[in-house]
Amino acid sequence: MKKSIAQTIGMHKESYLLMTPYMIFFLLFTILPVVLSIVLGFTYYNMIEPPRFVGWYNYIRLFLDDDIFIIAVKNTLFFAFVTGPVSYLLSFLVAWMINDLSKTLRSIATTVFYIPTIIGVSVFPMWRLIFSPDAYGYLNGMLMGLGLISEPVAWLLDKEYILLILIVVQLWMSLGISFLAFVAGLQTVDRSLYEAGVMDGIKNRFQELWYITLPSMIPQLIFGAVMQIVISFSVADVSIQLAGFPSTEYAGETMVTHIMDYGSIRYEMGYASAMAVVLFFMMVFTNRLVTKILQKVGI
């Protein structure tokens, strides 16, 4: 006999009671902001006057009258489809390679590989020194010493190089989180499965990886994918810190920096909310697509 929702809650009231604090914070700080963004996306709201309903005007303006937004979408998608898969695969490859090391060596390697994520924004001065536009910049000095260039290049001011440099730095910074999930996932794989796999005809490490390791750590793979999607689509700090805000001819503009421009500088909250809603659904669609692909691993 099918139980009602009230009966189900009554049977497990202790569990629901324990979840209550988390659910309250989740509703207040996750669900409510998303709902408010969707609602404000249909309004003109400057934080001084009450919101005024404008229908689909913000969305029409986004795609037909905002050239910078189109640049931001292109840059964000380029970031996502380059840094996301590359970072994801590199993280898994390194985690897989160090998995067979001794416990001490594995701990040292894990710490070293996770350092870029820990230090985060504090390394931006180092990157600015590397790509400094004068002859004292490390990259310019090295290339001039090798005779490859005759005069310094303004790497972070030239629109031809900005996006490439931002991708390299973002890739360096985004390897750690998925890597930790993969290291943990590899440690949870039941070792007896490998012995059973040998009995079933598995002949090499790659077959072992595809038919046993990857299917055994699907939750960690999905977690790593979700984190990479969020990180790749929400790039902003690296662009602002290295390329400036705004960057040269908006070459380093991303959707998040465009939202910050309209939300925190121009105070067009309705328009910024419409952009946030577009970004939200792009992330949801990509997440659903990647999850479906990962569920086919090992089949």
Side-chain angles (χ1 to χ4, degrees), residues 23-259:
M23 293 303 296
I24 291 173
F25 281 98
F26 180 72
L27 289 171
L28 284 178
F29 298 107
T30 303
I31 301 299
L32 185 60
V34 172
V35 174
L36 284 177
S37 292
I38 294 174
V39 173
L40 288 176
F42 293 100
T43 67
Y44 172 79
Y45 181 42
N46 58 15
M47 299 186 72
I48 298 175
E49 302 168 342
R52 187 175 73 247
F53 182 72
V54 294
W56 292 97
Y57 173 75
N58 286 332
Y59 294 95
I60 295 172
R61 179 183 168 192
L62 273 179
F63 292 100
L64 298 181
D65 196 31
D66 189 345
D67 295 337
I68 310 304
F69 176 72
I70 301 301
I71 294 174
V73 171
K74 289 178 182 175
N75 288 345
T76 301
L77 290 176
F78 193 60
F79 258 107
F81 288 111
V82 174
T83 62
V86 172
S87 176
Y88 189 76
L89 292 175
L90 276 177
S91 298
F92 182 82
L93 183 62
V94 175
W96 185 49
M97 290 172 65
I98 69 170
N99 187 51
D100 292 332
L101 298 177
S102 66
K103 186 176 180 180
T104 303
L105 288 177
R106 189 170 60 244
S107 299
I108 295 172
T110 301
T111 303
V112 170
F113 203 72
Y114 192 61
I115 281 177
T117 304
I118 297 173
I119 55 181
V121 296
S122 63
V123 297
F124 287 135
M126 180 195 76
W127 287 108
R128 282 197 290 269
L129 186 59
I130 291 173
F131 295 108
S132 178
D134 52 35
Y136 297 101
Y138 291 162
L139 184 58
N140 277 331
M142 184 182 70
L143 294 178
M144 292 174 72
L146 294 172
L148 297 177
I149 58 176
S150 58
E151 56 185 21
V153 177
W155 301 103
L156 297 174
L157 298 175
D158 191 327
K159 66 176 185 179
E160 292 185 11
Y161 304 114
I162 288 176
L163 197 57
L164 179 61
I165 292 171
L166 297 183
I167 286 173
V168 170
V169 176
Q170 180 64 29
L171 191 60
W172 181 80
M173 293 176 62
S174 64
L175 292 175
I177 295 177
S178 298
F179 169 75
L180 272 189
F182 297 151
V183 170
L186 286 165
Q187 294 299 307
T188 62
V189 179
D190 187 349
R191 311 305 297 180
S192 64
L193 291 177
Y194 296 114
E195 298 172 7
V198 172
M199 299 296 292
D200 288 340
I202 287 180
K203 298 176 181 176
N204 55 54
R205 290 292 305 272
F206 292 102
Q207 288 183 339
E208 192 178 82
L209 174 68
W210 181 254
Y211 291 111
I212 297 176
T213 305
L214 291 177
S216 299
M217 51 183 294
I218 289 294
Q220 290 81 13
L221 293 176
I222 293 177
F223 172 79
V226 171
M227 295 305 298
Q228 285 298 338
I229 289 169
V230 172
I231 292 171
S232 300
F233 276 91
S234 58
V235 170
D237 284 342
V238 65
S239 175
I240 295 171
Q241 295 289 336
L242 296 183
F245 187 48
S247 54
T248 305
E249 297 184 25
Y250 297 97
E253 189 83 347
T254 66
M255 291 183 70
V256 174
T257 59
H258 206 48
I259 292 171

Side-chain angles (χ1 to χ4, degrees), residues 5-21 23:
I5 295 177
Q7 288 176 320
T8 303
I9 293 175
M11 289 176 61
H12 305 285
K13 54 182 179 297
E14 294 86 0
S15 301
Y16 285 99
L17 186 63
L18 290 172
M19 286 194 301
T20 300
M23 293 303 296

